[in-house]
């Protein structure tokens, strides 16, 4: 499974292979994907799972890095990614 991620406000993109895992099996460090339409092509946000239904995310440069609940962003995909 290949996912492409771009830095906000940047033309730099990163493609990486991830192993799909069920949300219930996430471990700290796994990637959580959020999509507008539930498809890979509409992924709009990627965060890092911290454990205990919490994540590290950066929604904008104004708010910086935040420790948030994984359900605070709409459109969570039904799987996570392990690099």
């Amino acid at each position: 499974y290949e996912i492409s991620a771009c830095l906000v406000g940047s033309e730099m993109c990163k493609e990486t292979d991830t192993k799909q895992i069920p949300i219930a099996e996430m471990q700290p460090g796994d990637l959580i994907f959020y999509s507008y339409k539930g498809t890979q092509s509409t992924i709009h946000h990627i965060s890092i799972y911290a454990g205990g239904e919490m994540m590290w995310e950066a929604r904008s440069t104004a708010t910086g890095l935040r420790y948030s609940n994984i359900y605070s962003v709409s459109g969570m995909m039904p799987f996570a990614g392990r690099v």
Side-chain angles (χ1 to χ4, degrees):
Y1 183 74
E2 188 172 270
I3 196 77
S4 179
C6 296
L7 298 173
V8 176
S10 171
E11 294 181 11
M12 294 176 22
C13 292
K14 170 78 174 148
E15 289 188 0
T16 186
D17 288 325
T18 61
K19 178 182 176 187
Q20 278 190 26
I21 55 166
I23 295 297
E25 295 177 18
M26 285 191 300
Q27 296 176 4
D30 288 341
L31 302 176
I32 306 171
F33 306 104
Y34 297 87
S35 172
Y36 290 119
K37 297 181 181 178
T39 63
Q40 266 188 270
S41 62
T42 60
I43 289 174
H44 62 87
H45 190 64
I46 300 173
S47 62
I48 301 171
Y49 186 61
E53 293 190 359
M54 299 300 286
M55 65 180 171
W56 289 104
E57 64 167 336
R59 291 188 199 186
S60 72
T61 55
T63 59
L65 186 64
R66 296 178 6 173
Y67 185 66
S68 309
N69 186 284
I70 64 172
Y71 298 106
S72 65
V73 178
S74 62
M76 185 166 58
M77 298 288 280
F79 57 85
R82 187 165 293 152
V83 186

